Amino acid sequence: MALDADLVAQLTTLLENVREPIELVHTTDDSDKSRELIELLDQIAGLSDKVTARPAQGDERGPRTPAFTIARTGTDVGVTFAGIPLGHEFSSLVLALLQVGGHPVKEDEATIAAVQAVEGEHEFVTYMSLTCQNCPTVVQALDALAVLNPGVTHTVVEGSLFQDEIDREGVMAVPTVTRNGETFASGRMELSEILAKLDEVTGGSGSQAAAAGWRLVTSQGLVPALLPAFYQRALAGVDGRAFPSARGRSALELTDPGSPMERLVSSWQPCPT
């Protein structure tokens, strides 16, 4: 079996936190590594009635073999692993199973607001190795980004199984991340750092603005349910009168007294205490 008895027992308990059905959709062939991957996925699927494993069909087949996508059934939510995520990446696999399965991402509310404010289409690929201690931090951050934001996809590539791709992409160290086919970053990065870098390369600061806005409005005791409308007004203008957009402005500016974000906050009524 791919997993020993202790890991099976731990994973069985953790998979009780899966809320939505998920599928492990694998692109495989007759190679030994593909057989290892199928064995692992079938074993995982046998631990929860909310998890199924099956071969990819038609357009579901990806460009890399062996690989698999953890997909929330009936949705576009998912993350992809090219290779067999054991070793240091087993924790990344477990978190991806839980988060794609609807278990809440363990980030603070301001960071989640920043993730959800990221606009555009972003295709991330992370090159990692199973012995890399810094890789899981990056992998898990980008997995969370992909789960929380429908404009983001993330594929994790085990470099040792795809050496030709490593050479073609000029990857010199792991973790290395590409975005839309271009080098994005290398080395250990937390989710907040990835968001700041993403704002930098896209020429805006929408995600940082959202995080700053969340901190500001929650400090004023506003009703959480009103926050989506708050962000919409902050970025588009209030009552049809546009003011300087949150995009392109620093988080510091957005928390300065008299800034458009703070003036907008003052227009809301605080929660009764």
Side-chain angles (χ1 to χ4, degrees):
M1 300 293 283
L3 303 177
D4 62 31
D6 287 341
L7 282 179
V8 167
Q10 294 175 42
L11 186 54
T12 300
T13 300
L14 289 169
L15 289 177
E16 293 175 1
N17 294 297
V18 173
R19 302 177 179 182
E20 304 289 340
I22 57 176
E23 297 177 296
L24 312 178
V25 185
H26 55 83
T27 299
T28 49
D29 54 22
D30 293 330
S31 66
D32 289 342
K33 286 297 183 182
S34 285
R35 285 191 287 270
E36 288 180 32
L37 177 59
I38 292 170
E39 181 183 17
L40 172 63
L41 299 183
D42 285 345
Q43 188 176 16
I44 293 172
L47 303 179
S48 171
D49 59 4
K50 285 189 168 63
V51 184
T52 58
R54 64 175 179 83
Q57 303 293 328
D59 292 342
E60 291 180 328
R61 290 188 63 84
R64 302 175 182 88
T65 303
F68 69 100
T69 296
I70 305 173
R72 186 179 298 170
T73 304
T75 75
D76 293 328
V77 177
V79 297
T80 298
F81 289 86
I84 305 174
L86 296 176
H88 284 295
E89 289 302 333
F90 185 69
S91 61
S92 301
L93 169 61
V94 173
L95 274 178
L97 290 167
L98 297 180
Q99 292 171 353
V100 175
H103 189 66
V105 173
K106 298 299 184 183
E107 292 287 347
D108 63 84
E109 293 172 329
T111 300
I112 290 175
V115 168
Q116 293 172 333
V118 171
E119 295 186 336
E121 302 294 321
H122 309 278
E123 182 179 343
F124 287 100
V125 177
T126 300
Y127 295 96
M128 59 79 176
S129 77
L130 301 183
T131 58
C132 168
Q133 295 185 359
N134 289 325
C135 292
T137 299
V138 177
V139 168
Q140 292 165 24
L142 285 167
D143 279 352
L145 185 57
V147 168
L148 291 170
N149 190 305
V152 177
T153 64
H154 185 218
T155 299
V156 185
V157 178
E158 181 186 343
S160 64
L161 294 186
F162 298 90
Q163 191 61 51
D164 289 346
E165 183 173 348
I166 290 289
D167 294 340
R168 183 174 67 250
E169 295 293 331
V171 176
M172 303 300 294
V174 291
T176 289
V177 179
T178 66
R179 170 188 162 272
N180 297 345
E182 302 290 336
T183 299
F184 177 76
S186 62
R188 180 187 175 99
M189 297 181 76
E190 303 286 346
L191 181 53
S192 58
E193 296 173 296
I194 292 171
L195 290 168
K197 177 72 172 178
L198 187 56
D199 278 348
E200 177 186 330
V201 300
T202 57
S205 60
S207 65
Q208 294 180 72
W214 178 279
R215 294 186 185 99
L216 187 57
V217 295
T218 53
S219 73
Q220 299 291 321
L222 299 179
V223 180
L226 297 178
L227 293 177
F230 168 82
Y231 292 127
Q232 184 176 4
R233 293 176 71 191
L235 296 177
V238 182
D239 300 328
R241 297 188 302 274
F243 54 80
S245 171
R247 294 186 182 86
R249 307 188 67 204
S250 70
L252 178 61
E253 287 180 290
L254 291 166
T255 54
D256 280 345
S259 71
M261 189 71 79
E262 183 146 342
R263 292 200 301 273
L264 181 56
V265 169
S266 67
S267 73
W268 294 96
Q269 294 299 315
C271 302
T273 56

